[in-house]
Amino acid sequence: MPIPMEWYLGLGGVIFAVGMFGFLVRRNMFVMLLSIELMLNAVNITMVTFSHYLNDLRGQIFTIFIMTVAAAEAAIGLAIIVTLFRNKATIQADEIKEMNG
Amino acid sequence: MKYAMLIPFLPLAAFLINILFGRFLLKDRAHIVAIAGVFASFVLSVAVFIQVAGGATMNSDLYSWISSGGFRVSVGFLIDPLTAVMLIVVTTVSLLVHIYSIGYMHGDPGYYRFFSYLSLFTFSMLMLVTGNNLLQLYFGWEAVGLCSYFLIGYWYQKQSAADAGKKAFIVNRFGDFGFGLGVILVFLVVGSIQYSDIFASVGSLQGKTFPLFGYEVDLITLIALLLFCGAVGKSAQLPLHVWLPDAMEGPTPVSALIHAATMVTAGVFLVARFNPLFSLSPTAMAVVAITGAATSLFAATIALVQNDIKRIIAYSTCSQLGYMFLACGVGAFGAGIFHLYTHAFFKALLFLGAGSVMHAMAGELDIQKMGGLKKHMPVTYWTFLLASLSIAGIPGLAGFFSKDEILWMAYNGGMIGKIVWVVATIVAGLTAFYSFRIIFLAFHGSFRGTHEQEHHLHESPSVMTVPLAILAVGAVGAGWIGIPQALGGGNWIAHFFEPVLGHPHVHGTHAEEYMVMGISILAAALGIGTASYFYVMSPDMPKRLTERYKQIHTVLWNKYFVDELYDAIIVRPTKWVASTILVGFTDAKIIEGIVNGVPSLIQSFGMKLRKLQTGYLQHYGIVLIFGLFVLISIAFIAGTKTH
């Protein structure tokens, strides 16, 4: 029997919630970046699911784009974090708040 | 006679050249352009006068200025006997004053500026007298006021001169406000401001009334009095006379041209121009006559005790203008304009003579510090003496004929006429007294100034004395065109004016006319005799009189405290309102409150808002997710509603 659509969507929702929760509660910038990746991929799962069930390839094309952007984002994000660590000797988000008003 | 339209524009051209190129290019040659302009105007004016004397008139439009619905105004020119005489007066005196100024203003740093303003003034005054509609008159009226302001405050570094300029301008506002209302009212009831239309319809306005503050006011009287308001301001009549004596702060040629011969007579010109309107309202005529008589007496009494040579002559001008108004007020518009014409010569001469004296005395104005100038400056002395004899009304000179014409007309002018005749005759005596007080104190006796001043005494250069001599010829002979029939003359001027100004019906006999003349000559002789008794024979007499009548002298010396009165009831309350309410409240609280309040409000709001930007990434994340939650909720609710 085919796996029902709700399971895929549920999986996507759970991963998205994990990512969101991780982004909010963790102070380590690496983990925050990982959480963002989780959220993006949760969305990817949802898109592929809809694409399959609606017989519309646009969802999968979007997913390819999102993965590309996510890779670029991860590369830049990691580079920023490395530079930040060189200058500040920390990657704890709550210790870096120079941009407050 | 189209060339008459050129007359005002030649001085305008001179003004433009001087104001544009005077400062760097022409410098001390600025007078060449100015004199060329006014001389050409003078020649054209003489040509116009000759043609008008031959019976020609002109009324034509040059240019359509404003055309809006039924309101049409053109730049147009009306040349008739009244205008022709005014043209002669304005251009002659202006030309002579221009020439005189070459000497008087020599070496002044603002030389080009002075001549520019003189040209601009001449243009404005010529526009005023030649216009064929009220708006052009009003234009010239305000423009001469502006030039007067420029020239009184010509030495703007001097506080008193700058103040006097402002005073002249502001006092004139009061009169001009009434004048402006008069022009509007004329347009409202006539539907046009062309003289020809107005005069054609005055007859139909007779007996009509106009609602004003709940009263029904006679329309013609109202218009006449509103126009007269402007005349009172411009011609320095009571109660707006206060600016004229202060205007003497300006250079003396300016006093001669603007504040004696031309601009201040614009009021008389206005009343004479509107004679068809004025003569229909006995009330307005009475107001004009009484204002004129009161001013002439008032100013003459002040002139008796003043020591500043220019102020005495200024009060004399006030007084003589009063004479012209009282003539108009008794219906003798022609006599008023005739006096305006002779007055221009002898009063300009008195002022230019005073300027010549100041030139020799290094700016000294106090006649008590002069004396014995006769032998140092003979030309000035003799011309000044002729002018004084003329203004005093010595038979044969210009002032005599015009003054006696006025007195004779007043004598024939009914009850009010008789009263103003008595006043005018007294004023004739006072005029002779104060004129000869100057002569005796300044030119006779021995010198009372400092030693340096005495060493410096000299006759003015010929560029100044020649205009004096020419004006002296006018002061002697200008009246010969108006020799009355009683003295065997033809009274040519009265007939010349008759088509425009009419001629009042005279009941008196030649015998009565001789009596009026005799009394005025007697008054003049009495004035001169008293002056010579006071200031030549027993010089301590004025002092003793001053001691005895101390109150009267104090009142006269302080010019009836009019300036102090105005200061208390108008100037100080206005300043109080300005400084306390306008500056202290409106400006500081309302305007500055808005201007400063808006930014400070935005700033304090911003100070609170910036607290939101904490710098913690998680805070931003929470806000982001909360926003997402809100958006999804809205979409969800909206989605369920549509289904």
Side-chain angles (χ1 to χ4, degrees):
Chain A
M1 66 169 251
I3 303 167
M5 191 179 78
E6 285 78 10
W7 290 27
Y8 291 103
L9 293 182
L11 178 68
V14 168
I15 296 175
F16 189 85
V18 170
M20 195 171 81
F21 186 74
F23 181 78
L24 289 182
V25 298
R26 298 301 295 264
R27 297 287 180 263
N28 189 313
M29 288 239 190
F30 276 122
V31 181
M32 286 167 78
L33 203 62
L34 280 175
S35 305
I36 293 170
E37 295 301 320
L38 275 180
M39 286 192 277
L40 283 167
N41 283 306
V43 174
N44 281 349
I45 291 171
T46 324
M47 288 240 229
V48 172
T49 309
F50 280 123
S51 170
H52 176 75
Y53 280 92
L54 297 175
N55 282 324
D56 186 346
L57 271 179
R58 274 185 291 179
Q60 295 182 40
I61 294 166
F62 251 104
T63 306
I64 304 290
F65 273 107
I66 290 172
M67 276 165 33
T68 319
V69 170
E73 185 223 310
I76 293 169
L78 284 172
I80 290 174
I81 292 169
V82 168
T83 322
L84 199 64
F85 183 74
R86 284 206 190 130
N87 286 296
K88 292 273 177 190
T90 179
I91 49 164
Q92 299 298 313
D94 55 350
E95 287 171 24
I96 304 161
K97 47 164 193 162
E98 272 76 12
M99 298 293 278
N100 66 342
Chain B
M1 212 170 25
K2 290 276 182 205
Y3 62 88
M5 293 184 179
L6 218 60
I7 295 172
F9 296 111
L10 292 167
L12 179 67
F15 160 71
L16 290 174
I17 293 171
N18 266 336
I19 204 80
L20 291 176
F21 306 113
R23 188 164 178 191
F24 299 111
L25 224 66
L26 295 165
K27 291 174 191 156
D28 53 354
R29 286 165 302 181
H31 62 262
I32 299 173
V33 180
I35 289 176
V38 73
F39 181 74
S41 286
F42 168 72
V43 171
L44 291 178
S45 298
V46 171
V48 165
F49 185 82
I50 291 167
Q51 270 196 285
V52 172
T57 57
M58 182 185 88
N59 182 7
S60 65
D61 292 344
L62 177 65
Y63 170 73
S64 176
W65 182 9
I66 301 170
S67 178
S68 162
F71 184 63
R72 275 172 220 291
V73 186
S74 53
V75 176
F77 296 89
L78 171 64
I79 307 287
D80 64 359
L82 177 59
T83 307
V85 168
M86 291 304 288
L87 282 178
I88 291 289
V89 168
V90 173
T91 52
T92 311
V93 179
S94 186
L95 176 63
L96 293 172
V97 165
H98 272 77
I99 296 169
Y100 178 93
S101 302
I102 300 174
Y104 192 82
M105 300 305 287
H106 180 75
D108 192 278
Y111 195 73
Y112 84 96
R113 193 161 55 91
F114 184 81
F115 278 96
S116 309
Y117 291 160
L118 278 190
S119 299
L120 182 62
F121 170 78
T122 310
F123 158 71
S124 315
M125 191 69 205
L126 291 169
M127 285 300 270
L128 194 162
V129 297
T130 53
N132 72 350
N133 61 71
L134 260 175
L135 201 66
Q136 193 173 334
L137 175 80
Y138 194 77
F139 163 78
W141 191 271
E142 294 302 330
V144 290
L146 183 70
C147 294
S148 159
Y149 166 76
F150 285 155
L151 285 165
I152 295 169
Y154 174 73
W155 287 309
Y156 54 84
Q157 308 90 333
K158 214 164 92 184
Q159 186 62 39
S160 57
D163 287 346
K166 276 186 273 180
K167 184 173 180 181
F169 204 73
I170 293 167
V171 171
N172 268 299
R173 283 315 84 217
F174 284 87
D176 291 353
F177 183 64
F179 186 27
L181 289 180
V183 175
I184 293 167
L185 187 59
V186 166
F187 176 69
L188 274 182
V189 298
V190 180
S192 165
I193 53 171
Q194 298 280 329
Y195 293 153
S196 46
D197 296 337
I198 299 169
F199 299 149
S201 59
V202 276
S204 64
L205 299 178
Q206 217 171 356
K208 282 195 188 161
T209 57
F210 189 81
L212 189 75
F213 305 126
Y215 296 95
E216 289 292 318
V217 187
D218 183 52
L219 189 58
I220 287 188
T221 308
L222 184 63
I223 294 174
L225 288 180
L226 284 174
L227 295 180
F228 185 58
C229 268
V232 165
K234 189 85 15 196
S235 295
Q237 297 297 291
L238 281 175
L240 298 179
H241 66 285
V242 287
W243 67 272
L244 187 57
D246 286 25
M248 297 303 127
E249 290 289 344
T252 308
V254 169
S255 309
L257 176 61
I258 301 185
H259 306 120
T262 54
M263 184 190 84
V264 288
T265 60
V268 184
F269 170 77
L270 174 70
V271 173
R273 177 54 87 202
F274 278 81
N275 71 82
L277 189 83
F278 276 87
S279 42
L280 288 179
S281 166
T283 321
M285 291 294 269
V287 170
V288 173
I290 289 165
T291 308
T295 309
S296 72
L297 183 64
F298 176 85
T301 51
I302 296 174
L304 296 179
V305 300
Q306 300 297 315
N307 281 335
D308 180 322
I309 184 167
K310 280 182 75 183
R311 275 175 196 254
I312 299 173
I313 308 174
Y315 278 111
S316 164
T317 307
C318 242
S319 172
Q320 296 300 310
L321 289 166
Y323 244 81
M324 297 170 206
F325 276 114
L326 77 83
C328 292
V330 296
F333 298 98
I337 296 294
F338 182 33
H339 195 58
L340 185 162
Y341 155 78
T342 57
H343 173 258
F345 290 101
F346 57 71
K347 189 50 64 67
L349 177 52
L350 284 175
F351 267 117
L352 294 185
S356 177
V357 168
M358 280 169 71
H359 196 69
M361 297 281 296
E364 181 63 64
L365 284 163
D366 191 344
I367 51 172
Q368 300 290 355
K369 293 188 183 134
M370 298 174 188
L373 299 182
K374 181 180 166 185
K375 60 179 178 293
H376 297 287
M377 28 196 346
V379 181
T380 306
Y381 170 70
W382 284 108
T383 50
F384 204 93
L385 181 67
L386 281 175
S388 298
L389 287 169
S390 188
I391 193 175
I394 296 304
L397 302 179
F400 170 78
F401 295 113
S402 56
K403 189 177 274 190
D404 269 302
E405 180 80 0
I406 291 177
L407 290 171
W408 175 232
M409 292 298 166
Y411 181 81
N412 280 294
M415 219 254 302
I416 290 173
K418 284 283 193 304
I419 297 168
V420 299
W421 171 69
V422 172
V423 174
T425 308
I426 295 168
V427 171
L430 298 177
T431 307
F433 175 82
Y434 65 64
S435 300
F436 276 81
R437 180 167 170 263
I438 302 177
I439 295 273
F440 292 132
L441 278 177
F443 291 97
H444 289 255
S446 54
F447 192 71
R448 294 180 299 275
T450 60
H451 196 69
E452 294 107 88
Q453 279 176 329
E454 187 166 15
H455 187 69
H456 182 69
L457 288 178
H458 61 282
E459 180 60 282
S460 300
S462 56
V463 75
M464 287 165 74
T465 50
V466 168
L468 291 181
I470 298 171
L471 281 171
V473 173
V476 173
W480 294 342
I481 56 170
I483 299 173
Q485 269 133 3
L487 293 180
N491 206 353
W492 180 82
I493 192 85
H495 297 299
F496 181 60
F497 280 141
E498 211 168 331
V500 193
L501 302 176
H503 194 67
H505 192 63
V506 174
H507 323 273
T509 59
H510 275 343
E512 280 179 301
E513 193 166 352
Y514 292 135
M515 181 201 78
V516 168
M517 260 179 220
I519 291 172
S520 100
I521 295 168
L522 200 67
L526 207 65
I528 297 173
T530 318
S532 81
Y533 178 70
F534 277 14
Y535 299 103
V536 180
M537 285 177 244
S538 65
D540 58 333
M541 190 68 183
K543 202 171 275 174
R544 274 189 285 146
L545 273 177
T546 310
E547 295 286 311
R548 181 171 305 172
Y549 300 104
K550 195 134 189 67
Q551 277 101 345
I552 297 176
H553 183 264
T554 314
V555 168
L556 292 181
W557 177 249
N558 289 296
K559 308 140 197 161
Y560 293 93
F561 296 101
V562 176
D563 274 327
E564 285 76 4
L565 180 74
Y566 288 174
D567 192 52
I569 63 169
I570 296 171
V571 178
R572 263 184 274 155
T574 311
K575 280 187 175 170
W576 181 84
V577 168
S579 66
T580 314
I581 296 181
L582 296 182
V583 173
F585 180 73
T586 314
D587 210 43
K589 299 274 156 60
I590 297 179
I591 310 267
E592 283 187 28
I594 292 169
V595 169
N596 293 336
V598 170
S600 75
L601 197 74
I602 291 170
Q603 194 189 13
S604 68
F605 185 64
M607 289 302 281
K608 293 199 172 67
L609 208 61
R610 62 188 285 195
K611 296 270 186 281
L612 284 178
Q613 196 180 359
T614 54
Y616 290 108
L617 272 177
Q618 272 77 20
H619 288 178
Y620 304 159
I622 284 180
V623 172
L624 213 74
I625 287 157
F626 180 74
L628 188 67
F629 178 74
V630 169
L631 286 178
I632 290 171
S633 308
I634 290 170
F636 189 70
I637 293 165
T640 52
K641 263 192 186 154
T642 47
H643 290 291

